Amino acid sequence: MRKPRDFDSELKAINERAKVLQEKKLRQLGELVTATGADSLPIEVVAGALLAAREAAPDAKEAWRRRGTAFFQRSRKATGGKPANGAAGEPPDRSGSPATDQQQSML
């Protein structure tokens, strides 16, 4: 006879993992704001820019994605190929525009 699965503990583990990932995403968004120098802007300006980015045309988003990619490539070269956040064991995220992905998933 098979051992019954403990769905409650599996669900709890999944929820904990989701919480950890959400906290990591928020921390990375804060690091992104700081790395780009946007932390010196008033919060209303940053919020307005993010809202405008969310509503922008696809061609504008593509141009911003390319610019963001160039920004991250420059920052990796400046740190000698290591991730800017100091996590030497983590591979860089190559899933597209980090700012756009995070903006859309946060709203």
Side-chain angles (χ1 to χ4, degrees):
M1 181 180 238
R2 288 177 38 179
K3 180 180 175 183
R5 290 176 68 177
D6 186 358
F7 291 109
D8 290 333
S9 65
E10 289 181 29
L11 184 58
K12 184 177 179 181
I14 290 171
N15 286 334
E16 283 295 318
R17 178 70 176 145
K19 183 179 176 182
V20 167
L21 290 173
Q22 181 66 23
E23 290 172 359
K24 181 178 178 181
K25 183 170 99 174
L26 288 173
R27 187 173 47 254
Q28 287 177 337
L29 183 58
E31 291 172 357
L32 179 64
V33 169
T34 302
T36 59
D39 58 334
S40 65
L41 297 171
I43 192 74
E44 294 85 4
V45 173
V46 175
L50 292 174
L51 290 170
R54 190 170 149 221
E55 299 165 354
D59 56 335
K61 289 180 184 179
E62 177 60 24
W64 293 339
R65 186 197 62 75
R66 286 191 305 268
R67 188 173 177 185
T69 299
F71 172 80
F72 285 114
Q73 288 174 348
R74 280 192 309 269
S75 66
R76 272 190 230 124
K77 287 179 184 177
T79 60
K82 296 178 185 172
N85 64 2
E90 281 188 310
D93 183 19
R94 299 183 192 275
S95 62
S97 171
T100 303
D101 292 344
Q102 289 179 357
Q103 289 167 8
Q104 290 178 356
S105 64
M106 303 252 319
L107 300 175

